[in-house]
Amino acid sequence: MFQSLSALPADPILGLMATYRADTNPKKIDLGIGVYKDESGHTPVMTAIKKAEDILLNSQTTKTYVGPTGAAEYNDAVGLLILGQSLYNSLGKRRVTVQAPGGCGGLRLAAELIKKANSDATVWVSSPTWANHIPLLGSAGLKIAEYPYYDYATHSVRFEEMLACLSQVPVGDVVLLHGCCHNPCGADLSQEQWQQIRDVALKQGFTVFIDLAYQGLGDGLDEDVYGLRLMAEALPELIVVTSCSKNFGLYRERTGALTMICETPEAASIATTQIAAAARAMYSMPPDHGAVLVQMILNNASLRHEWNKELTEMRNRINSLRAQFVKKLQSIGVEQDFSFIEREKGMFSFLGVNVDQVQSLVKDYSIYLVNSSRINVAGINDDNIDYLATSLAAVLKK
Ligand code: LMR
């Protein structure tokens, strides 16, 4: 039977990670997959996670099943983190949060629910969007369309075109927005732009879907959910998928969630039964370990303080790397203007070079980045910034 299968190319992001690992060049630089790296190029386990793991090791008394919607304490803690206390209170039982196997698992759950609610729905994604959005949502059988988002020439959001496109999206369709730290371009919406999108969503009646994978890595834990809270306050319905991969450094533990805000508590309760059935049919129940650590940290003042401090250091490091990289390129005489990198948010920015130039960086200099020219800024450090800047300068001159 399996003779009929044909081989597929490697995933554009995960494949790059494998090639980087196999490269023996001591000067190699990994600007590919979106993982946080410290000054030594290491992706550490956060201190608060280590401490919570120590406590858990000595206190956990059972590993019995949890259930398809995951742990209630985790679900509440995540709901509170994204919404803040007052919105969390006012939404009450109109809001339901369900633990999921990472952000990807949450996206897939959301896709299943959208499909059940309206099998005809089109999901509108930004152009460009995260490389896995279209395969992931598409493989659930949803139709996908794109709205204009990033202007490669001006390195900013094509907001007028985006708004014009969204003004045509009908009720029954879904618009997927990046909550903060847009992946891949790093260009985020301003507060005024979020307000305008909220107004269009209210007028048109489409469903807003927010993918929030980087809360705390842009401007701050509360600042990064400005748009999400604006939507949650105003709209009758909202879908939010969150990930703890980056802001808790829990990548391989697959810790995420799907939050639904429904028009009524009854609708939310019905949606929960559908989500539970979808989870049961796909993977039965989400993995526990990461979620229990997140719950412990968010519900313990001292662990939470420690986590917040480390997250702040990570965010500040990324923001200062953005500034340093721009300065370095200027100081070695690169004529192109890269100042947009300093204005963008989160882990990613496009270098804005073409595929041949990307391939030259990869093959001639062992500098790994996605073909779109997306770089993970956190991969830059004091030891590699000179090599990176001079290699880029050389490739730009070719
Ligand atoms: C990325 O965009 O690099 C990360 O979100 C990792 C992934 O799974 O693609």
Side-chain angles (χ1 to χ4, degrees):
M1 171 169 77
F2 303 123
Q3 298 292 357
S4 65
L5 296 176
S6 50
L8 294 175
D11 177 89
I13 296 175
L14 302 183
L16 203 61
M17 180 172 79
T19 330
Y20 170 80
R21 284 182 182 161
D23 188 339
T24 53
N25 183 349
K27 288 185 162 172
K28 67 181 179 177
I29 305 178
D30 180 14
L31 306 179
I33 190 157
V35 296
Y36 178 77
K37 286 166 192 275
D38 63 17
E39 183 51 35
S40 63
H42 183 57
T43 301
V45 181
M46 292 177 84
T47 313
I49 291 286
K50 276 282 183 206
K51 289 192 177 168
E53 276 180 325
D54 274 350
I55 300 170
L56 185 67
L57 187 67
N58 293 309
S59 61
Q60 194 171 47
T61 57
T62 182
K63 288 204 182 278
T64 189
Y65 293 124
V66 177
T69 56
E73 298 88 342
Y74 166 84
N75 292 338
D76 281 343
V78 168
L80 197 51
L81 180 68
I82 62 172
L83 293 167
Q85 191 72 60
S86 92
L87 207 45
Y88 174 91
N89 291 348
S90 64
L91 287 168
K93 290 191 185 316
R94 280 182 56 212
R95 187 258 340 158
V96 57
T97 302
V98 168
Q99 187 184 321
C104 284
L107 289 166
R108 180 59 195 236
L109 267 186
E112 294 295 324
L113 195 73
I114 293 166
K115 190 97 182 59
K116 282 268 183 214
N118 177 14
S119 59
D120 236 19
T122 294
V123 180
W124 293 78
V125 300
S126 61
S127 172
T129 196
W130 176 47
N132 204 26
H133 270 150
I134 296 176
L136 200 157
L137 300 168
S139 69
L142 288 167
K143 283 181 280 178
I144 313 283
E146 291 184 324
Y147 59 83
Y149 189 79
Y150 188 67
D151 186 335
Y152 292 86
T154 61
H155 307 284
S156 57
V157 179
R158 295 158 68 185
F159 189 67
E160 293 310 317
E161 290 163 74
M162 173 184 181
L163 208 59
C165 177
L166 297 189
S167 302
Q168 306 296 319
V169 173
V171 65
D173 277 3
V174 176
V175 173
L176 178 60
L177 301 166
H178 295 231
C180 65
C181 308
H182 189 282
N183 180 3
C185 70
D188 280 349
L189 297 166
S190 68
Q191 296 194 352
E192 294 68 32
Q193 290 171 337
W194 276 106
Q195 291 161 18
Q196 283 178 264
I197 294 171
R198 172 207 51 199
D199 294 345
V200 173
L202 276 170
K203 182 159 172 270
Q204 289 299 109
F206 57 71
T207 302
V208 173
F209 179 174
I210 296 179
D211 187 356
L212 183 70
Y214 297 88
Q215 186 183 3
L217 287 162
D219 288 321
L221 279 172
D222 289 322
E223 292 83 345
D224 290 348
V225 284
Y226 172 83
L228 185 156
R229 290 180 183 170
L230 195 75
M231 298 290 174
E233 205 170 0
L235 302 179
E237 293 182 339
L238 180 68
I239 307 170
V240 182
V241 166
T242 44
S243 166
C244 300
S245 293
K246 331 279 166 161
N247 54 4
F248 285 86
L250 281 170
Y251 311 91
R252 65 174 65 168
E253 302 294 355
R254 312 310 303 140
T255 310
L258 164 63
T259 294
M260 304 281 310
I261 294 170
C262 299
E263 275 199 83
T264 61
E266 296 70 35
S269 155
I270 292 168
T272 310
T273 66
Q274 291 280 350
I275 298 168
R280 177 71 169 145
M282 287 191 290
Y283 52 79
S284 190
M285 55 194 75
D288 177 65
H289 187 70
V292 86
L293 300 172
V294 168
Q295 180 262 112
M296 286 168 75
I297 291 170
L298 292 178
N299 290 327
N300 173 304
S302 125
L303 287 177
R304 188 176 177 129
H305 176 76
E306 187 136 19
W307 166 69
N308 202 350
K309 194 164 149 272
E310 202 167 345
L311 182 62
T312 304
E313 283 163 15
M314 288 159 65
R315 174 174 68 245
N316 290 343
R317 190 179 118 73
I318 291 175
N319 288 334
S320 96
L321 284 169
R322 286 182 172 280
Q324 276 177 52
F325 185 44
V326 172
K327 213 162 147 204
K328 176 65 70 181
L329 290 169
Q330 283 163 355
S331 74
I332 63 163
V334 170
E335 279 166 13
Q336 281 93 330
D337 179 16
F338 282 95
S339 59
F340 63 91
I341 292 181
E342 205 175 336
R343 294 191 296 274
E344 293 174 346
K345 296 288 171 199
M347 285 189 183
F348 307 113
S349 279
F350 286 129
L351 281 183
V353 299
N354 64 37
V355 180
D356 289 342
Q357 291 169 317
V358 170
Q359 282 309 308
S360 172
L361 284 168
V362 175
K363 297 208 169 93
D364 305 332
Y365 298 92
S366 295
I367 296 172
Y368 288 80
L369 64 161
V370 188
N371 269 343
S372 63
S373 89
R374 185 195 81 166
I375 58 164
N376 171 15
V377 177
I380 304 174
N381 58 44
D382 280 351
D383 281 344
N384 67 23
I385 193 166
D386 286 337
Y387 178 64
L388 171 63
T390 51
S391 306
L392 177 60
V395 166
L396 288 170
K397 278 208 184 112
K398 270 189 196 167

